[in-house]
Amino acid sequence: MPKQKTDDLIQLIKSLTRAEKRHFRLFVGRNQASDEILFLQLFDVLDKYKEYDEELILRKLPAIKKTQLSNLKAHLYKQLLTSLRLLNRNHVDDILIRELIDHAKVLYDKGLYRQSIDILDKAKARALKGKFNALALEVIEFEKYIEAQYITRSIEGRAEELTEEATTINKILADTNQFSNLALQMYGLYLKVGFVRDEKDYFYIREFFHSNLPDIDYQRLDFFGKIYYCQAHIWYYHMTQDFPMSYRYAQRWVDLFHDVPDLKMLNVPMYLKGMHNLLNVLFNLLYYSKFEKTLTELKKFSNEYDIVQNKNTEGLYYLFLYNHTIKKHFLEGTFSEGIKIIPKVVELIEEDEYNWDNHRVMLFYYRIACLYFGSGDNENAIEYLNMIINQKNPDYRADIQCFARILNLIAHYELGNAQLVEYQVKSVYRFLAKMEELQAVQQEIFRFVRRVPRMREHEMKNEFIHLKNKLIKLQDDPYEKRAFLYLDIISWLESKIENRPLEDIAREKFLKREGLLKETL
């Protein structure tokens, strides 16, 4: 068994819950004594020791020859998947539908055509109810195949009925696929570009989106067609920083699930993704009251749905929950309070229980660094920024990589590392120029940082004021404002000018924005 397949087997075993392990042992031992089954003995050793050690396995299981090991691992992997499929069939609708289709095929092969069609009817009804249109089409094509060859229970108009059903679902799938393809393409662009950087970016994204936007009326789409329609528009308006429009489509996405609660429970990952997008845009709009209400709704979701029954759902839930809990602290200016959540997030990342991808981990590191920076703990901020900076040739989110380097410079400046700042400015400048990220905001920051070693103490305050005034003018520029989404540089400058902690400045701004702090007369 190749190394990759062996690693996959170990990873699969590590992902199993106690209930899943118990079910597997019962599944294997159903027809024969468990102590006679070599692959089950192999499972027990791998489960106990967690790491793959071939010499240890052969020593612990003398009945297994080295030449047998590869085939045993492959067989164990297959049996584990079969056991998990059986365990999940009663609460995962699409697995149950596929099982019904398999049963219909078995009956068809035995010549029991009426029974086969009866089961296909059940499968089709379930597929249509859950909007599993691809499976519904598979059922209809099987029904057509049987009806075209055999005299079953056919009635007048049966051929027309099946033809009409197939035509309708084919059209639904075609329309949905067009929007799902566009949504995926927009996401790919976002990973590469992030927010638009200049007019060239804007016109490229706009032209790409509108030239690929299907000419299909929204009301004509089925449920998932509407979801992907919203998703494609969210990415477009998010990238172009038109957050009010992005909010419109994010809210529409979540409302679709609220209008059909049954589909929410059948498609939890898609619902959670909608909530995630809504919270993202509410954060960017600084719409705190709605953000807090939506985050509370997300937290309560675990009370109405048993998220631990599905590892993917559980992983998405905690990914979005911790992500937006951190953002809530950003909005409130409660960085020190937010630090309390960091150990749990880091533990989840290090244990890799949910297989979060490198992109999502990088975003967590950046937000953790921002929490530490906001609380005044620059050393820990630098530690997490270095985890981003030291990645080898990542080909995603160039924007985060660039702003991590800028924040790293500022954190070193705060620590008084003047020589290190002077040394790093040049390398960071080259990096940003290479990544085509050198915009007016970054240039102003660099001009300031470059002059720091030559500044006298009494000159610093005026320099901070001068930089702040320049950046305020750039704050409303459509192609410069993205910098302020990654780093609240204005609040940092105000903290230096007023000689107050950054956290106090951010907290005061939040209270004023929410009308919770009266202006001093």
Side-chain angles (χ1 to χ4, degrees):
M1 193 177 188
K3 185 178 184 302
Q4 179 60 51
K5 294 294 184 181
T6 299
D7 291 343
D8 290 347
L9 173 61
I10 299 299
Q11 190 176 29
L12 176 60
I13 291 173
K14 285 182 178 179
S15 74
L16 298 176
T17 64
R18 288 185 179 179
E20 289 168 341
K21 292 174 184 177
R22 183 171 62 252
H23 180 270
F24 177 65
R25 291 187 174 93
L26 292 173
F27 163 74
V28 173
R30 189 174 299 165
N31 297 315
Q32 50 190 312
S34 298
D35 58 356
E36 297 175 0
I37 305 171
L38 290 179
F39 73 83
L40 181 59
Q41 295 175 33
L42 174 62
F43 169 77
D44 288 332
V45 171
L46 293 175
D47 181 41
K48 180 178 179 181
Y49 291 99
K50 305 301 180 185
E51 301 296 331
Y52 183 75
D53 185 336
E54 191 166 296
E55 291 184 5
L56 174 66
I57 292 170
L58 295 173
R59 189 167 66 250
K60 291 285 183 180
L61 302 174
I64 296 178
K65 298 178 181 178
K66 188 172 183 178
T67 54
Q68 293 178 285
L69 198 52
S70 180
N71 287 337
L72 274 175
K73 287 187 288 185
H75 187 58
L76 172 58
Y77 189 80
K78 182 179 178 181
Q79 292 298 314
L80 282 168
L81 292 179
T82 302
S83 172
L84 288 170
R85 182 180 183 276
L86 290 171
L87 182 62
N88 286 294
R89 63 181 176 178
N90 291 327
H91 59 266
V92 181
D93 266 43
D94 48 340
I95 290 180
L96 179 56
I97 294 165
R98 290 188 187 95
E99 184 177 73
L100 290 172
I101 295 172
D102 292 342
H103 290 169
K105 181 66 168 67
V106 169
L107 292 169
Y108 166 79
D109 288 342
K110 293 187 71 66
L112 302 173
Y113 311 125
R114 181 190 56 77
Q115 293 182 45
S116 178
I117 285 187
D118 284 345
I119 287 185
L120 287 174
D121 275 348
K122 294 177 183 178
K124 181 167 65 177
R126 202 172 192 105
L128 291 173
K129 181 181 179 182
K131 303 297 182 184
F132 299 109
N133 289 319
L135 289 174
L137 183 61
E138 184 179 345
V139 171
I140 291 168
E141 291 299 324
F142 195 0
E143 286 183 304
K144 286 164 60 180
Y145 180 78
I146 296 173
E147 293 284 356
Q149 296 184 67
Y150 303 99
I151 300 174
T152 55
R153 57 171 188 173
S154 296
I155 58 174
E156 186 178 353
R158 176 68 171 162
E160 289 76 10
E161 178 187 336
L162 288 173
T163 301
E164 184 178 343
E165 286 180 341
T167 301
T168 300
I169 292 183
N170 264 314
K171 179 61 177 170
I172 289 172
L173 286 171
D175 291 348
T176 300
N177 282 336
Q178 288 188 67
F179 282 106
S180 66
N181 289 340
L182 178 58
L184 184 61
Q185 289 173 308
M186 296 304 296
Y187 179 58
L189 281 174
Y190 178 66
L191 288 181
K192 182 179 180 181
V193 176
F195 296 113
V196 294
R197 296 163 292 190
D198 49 36
E199 202 170 69
K200 179 183 174 182
D201 271 359
Y202 174 76
F203 283 114
Y204 172 73
I205 296 298
R206 189 181 71 172
E207 175 61 25
F208 180 89
F209 179 74
H210 287 289
S211 63
N212 288 281
L213 184 64
D215 185 18
I216 300 171
D217 180 44
Y218 174 80
Q219 296 302 330
R220 203 182 84 190
L221 295 168
D222 85 322
F223 182 84
F224 282 106
K226 291 176 179 178
I227 292 290
Y228 288 120
Y229 176 97
C230 292
Q231 189 175 42
H233 282 79
I234 287 169
W235 283 123
Y236 172 64
Y237 289 117
H238 183 70
M239 292 175 71
T240 56
Q241 299 174 69
D242 187 344
F243 298 128
M245 287 298 293
S246 185
Y247 169 70
R248 175 187 296 182
Y249 289 100
Q251 186 64 64
R252 185 183 294 182
W253 178 337
V254 172
D255 288 343
L256 283 166
F257 279 104
H258 287 166
D259 292 340
V260 192
D262 289 346
L263 288 180
K264 180 169 73 174
M265 293 306 160
L266 288 173
N267 301 277
V268 173
M270 190 65 83
Y271 167 71
L272 291 176
K273 183 67 175 177
M275 292 288 284
H276 167 63
N277 285 326
L278 180 57
L279 284 162
N280 268 338
V281 72
L282 290 170
F283 174 81
N284 289 329
L285 288 168
L286 302 179
Y287 193 173
Y288 177 77
S289 59
K290 178 70 173 177
F291 179 93
E292 185 181 37
K293 181 180 178 182
T294 305
L295 181 58
T296 300
E297 185 180 342
L298 177 63
K299 290 177 180 177
K300 289 181 178 178
F301 182 71
S302 61
N303 296 330
E304 58 181 295
Y305 182 86
D306 184 12
I307 60 170
V308 299
Q309 67 178 284
N310 185 300
K311 187 67 70 174
N312 177 54
T313 298
E314 185 181 4
L316 286 176
Y317 176 78
Y318 286 120
L319 174 71
F320 299 149
L321 179 64
Y322 288 124
N323 189 333
H324 295 294
T325 299
I326 289 174
K327 286 187 172 183
K328 183 172 182 283
H329 290 293
F330 289 163
L331 287 173
E332 296 173 342
T334 51
F335 304 112
S336 298
E337 182 69 21
I339 284 173
K340 296 176 183 178
I341 201 176
I342 291 176
K344 180 60 179 178
V345 174
V346 172
E347 180 185 354
L348 290 174
I349 292 172
E350 290 178 348
E351 289 180 353
D352 197 23
E353 182 178 357
Y354 302 119
N355 298 309
W356 289 340
D357 58 62
N358 291 335
H359 168 236
R360 284 164 170 163
V361 171
M362 182 174 73
L363 288 176
F364 266 129
Y365 286 157
Y366 185 75
R367 287 172 184 140
I368 288 172
C370 288
L371 278 178
Y372 277 124
F373 179 75
S375 70
D377 187 345
N378 293 290
E379 291 183 351
N380 271 315
I382 290 169
E383 179 182 343
Y384 282 93
L385 291 169
N386 283 334
M387 292 182 187
I388 300 171
I389 295 168
N390 295 332
Q391 290 188 55
K392 293 183 178 179
N393 304 317
D395 57 355
Y396 48 83
R397 294 308 297 271
D399 51 348
I400 293 295
Q401 297 171 47
C402 294
F403 280 97
R405 285 164 171 80
I406 292 172
L407 182 57
N408 189 53
L409 281 177
I410 295 172
H412 276 297
Y413 164 77
E414 286 281 48
L415 289 173
N417 300 331
Q419 289 184 331
L420 185 59
V421 170
E422 190 174 9
Y423 170 78
Q424 286 190 345
V425 163
K426 294 180 181 179
S427 64
V428 174
Y429 188 92
R430 286 194 299 270
F431 179 87
L432 296 189
K434 181 181 177 181
M435 301 294 284
E436 298 181 352
E437 290 282 332
L438 201 58
Q439 295 178 275
V441 171
Q442 291 95 315
Q443 290 185 38
E444 292 296 344
I445 294 172
F446 277 132
R447 290 191 189 102
F448 168 79
V449 174
R450 192 176 294 166
R451 295 197 306 272
V452 164
R454 299 188 297 273
M455 290 182 194
R456 298 178 181 177
E457 189 66 29
H458 68 274
E459 298 175 327
M460 294 297 293
K461 185 172 182 178
N462 286 335
E463 290 292 338
F464 284 127
I465 294 172
H466 184 59
L467 177 58
K468 177 189 170 185
N469 291 336
K470 284 187 173 182
L471 294 183
I472 285 176
K473 292 177 182 178
L474 296 170
Q475 206 167 12
D476 294 325
D477 186 304
Y479 304 116
E480 296 293 340
K481 64 183 181 181
R482 76 188 187 108
F484 304 98
L485 296 173
Y486 297 103
L487 180 62
D488 188 2
I489 186 71
I490 301 293
S491 292
W492 175 72
L493 289 169
E494 289 173 352
S495 75
K496 306 307 292 182
I497 293 166
E498 299 176 26
N499 195 27
R500 296 168 57 199
L502 170 58
E503 187 163 18
D504 289 356
I505 299 290
R507 181 65 178 168
E508 187 176 287
K509 283 186 175 182
F510 164 73
L511 294 174
K512 286 181 178 178
R513 193 168 59 240
E514 296 301 309
L516 301 173
L517 184 70
K518 294 182 180 179
E519 295 287 351
T520 304
L521 295 177

